[in-house]
Amino acid sequence: MTGTDDVGGAGTPTPRTLRIDVFSIFPSLVDDFCAESLLGRARTRGLLDLRCHDLREHTTDRHRTVDDAPFGGGAGMVMRPEPIFASVEAVDPPRPLFLLSPGGRRFDQAMATEMASIDGFSLLCGRYEGVDHRVRRHLVDDEISIGDVVLSGGEVAACLIIEAVTRLRDGAMGNAQSPITESFGASGLLEEPQYTRPAEFRGEAVPDVLLSGDHARIERYRSAQRLHRTLRERPDLIDARGGLSASETRLLEEFPADPYH
Ligand code: SAH
């Protein structure tokens, strides 16, 4: 499959819809973030079907309480299991359902690519000190962390994941080449430095080769700069792909690192 459906067997293939359900006590944080720019356009064009659900709609008390003190004592509050189970069961959202949690699997471009290849998934945002452990054991399919850092809630993490995944879907980005050459793309390297007009700015000129019009040479130059930049800033990425090939070593000799980089 190419990720497209040929509707009616004729005409332009229509990109498929990605459905994402988000469960949160602040659904508008995610909904509003995803209303602008690339995500907003993806929604308008039917590429992204984002549904943000308010966990408080499934509380039963007057104060719409979603949290309670931890058994055994200790700091902070814990999200109760009932509203979370009730919300998820009422919607029967697309699976896998991921709990956002600092202890989860670390999100990266490879995971984003994997998630962009399926047609739906769901995200559960915690708040306070996190969620009752029974949610983790019996409701969610997996846990995702956006990095070794602690946020106050899962909403920013959800926005980050939605954006990283949606832009990889067919039709979401103007330029279909971008996911290939950009950082962590198919090359496994960081992107090379980019320039736009003016050709000289505050005494610093754009490298001559980029103005040469020689596209084959520009491509080789750019590949070399990707390698230089990655070697300097993220040598671990070079190690992960098994070091440099002989042709890459030649490329680095042909084009030394730009003095400004
Ligand atoms: N007490 C928890 C942190 C809770 S932070 C602990 O020590 O692990 C509150 C909520 O923010 C979490 O339930 C989670 O949904 C979200 N969150 C915080 N940091 C996150 C991260 N690095 N990745 C994904 N979600 C995170």
Side-chain angles (χ1 to χ4, degrees):
M1 275 311 286
T2 59
T4 55
D5 266 335
D6 192 351
V7 174
T12 320
T14 310
R16 290 152 62 135
T17 303
L18 169 65
R19 176 165 161 189
I20 306 178
D21 285 44
V22 177
F23 296 86
S24 162
I25 58 169
F26 296 116
S28 61
L29 286 181
V30 179
D31 212 20
D32 290 353
F33 177 82
C34 298
E36 302 281 341
S37 190
L38 181 145
L39 291 172
R41 281 196 302 278
R43 291 173 83 178
T44 313
R45 290 159 52 209
L47 301 177
L48 171 64
D49 176 7
L50 176 68
R51 305 185 194 186
C52 300
H53 309 282
D54 187 351
L55 292 169
R56 286 195 200 277
E57 280 180 11
H58 290 271
T59 48
T60 46
D61 63 310
R62 204 159 55 87
H63 300 292
R64 311 180 84 201
T65 312
V66 289
D67 60 321
D68 209 333
F71 276 121
M77 301 294 267
V78 174
M79 289 179 80
R80 297 167 57 103
E82 303 100 309
I84 300 178
F85 272 78
S87 294
V88 169
E89 284 163 1
V91 173
D92 191 18
R95 297 269 177 168
L97 166 60
F98 298 102
L99 171 65
L100 298 164
S101 149
R105 206 153 50 100
R106 183 91 69 87
F107 187 68
D108 61 11
Q109 193 65 16
M111 213 190 290
T113 307
E114 205 178 296
M115 289 163 77
S117 73
I118 56 178
D119 283 340
F121 59 86
S122 302
L123 302 169
L124 169 58
C125 305
R127 279 267 155 184
Y128 315 108
E129 288 305 316
V131 302
D132 185 283
H133 192 59
R134 287 159 292 190
V135 170
R136 294 169 57 192
R137 284 195 24 89
H138 301 296
L139 189 64
V140 305
D141 302 300
D142 204 351
E143 295 179 52
I144 300 182
S145 165
I146 53 99
D148 288 351
V149 60
V150 180
L151 306 167
S152 308
E155 290 76 13
V156 167
C159 293
L160 184 152
I161 291 168
I162 294 166
E163 182 163 297
V165 173
T166 304
R167 66 196 291 283
L168 296 177
R169 297 281 292 188
D170 277 351
M173 258 193 286
N175 179 357
Q177 285 303 303
S178 299
I180 298 168
T181 55
E182 70 185 0
S183 301
F184 315 113
S187 72
L189 301 172
L190 301 179
E191 191 170 66
E192 73 281 7
Q194 308 271 313
Y195 296 93
T196 185
R197 273 178 279 275
E200 188 175 325
F201 178 69
R202 299 200 173 178
E204 190 166 323
V206 168
D208 284 342
V209 51
L210 294 177
L211 311 177
S212 70
D214 179 344
H215 293 293
R217 189 171 157 76
I218 290 173
E219 255 338 289
R220 289 205 310 284
Y221 164 84
R222 285 187 164 148
S223 302
Q225 299 311 320
R226 280 198 283 280
L227 288 165
H228 281 302
R229 184 169 178 215
T230 314
L231 278 168
R232 197 182 56 232
E233 284 162 30
R234 291 291 304 274
D236 58 300
L237 296 176
I238 303 280
D239 293 343
R241 61 206 277 288
L244 296 175
S245 69
S247 64
E248 286 171 343
T249 309
R250 279 197 301 278
L251 208 54
L252 290 174
E253 283 161 10
E254 183 183 356
F255 297 99
D258 271 337
Y260 299 136
H261 298 173

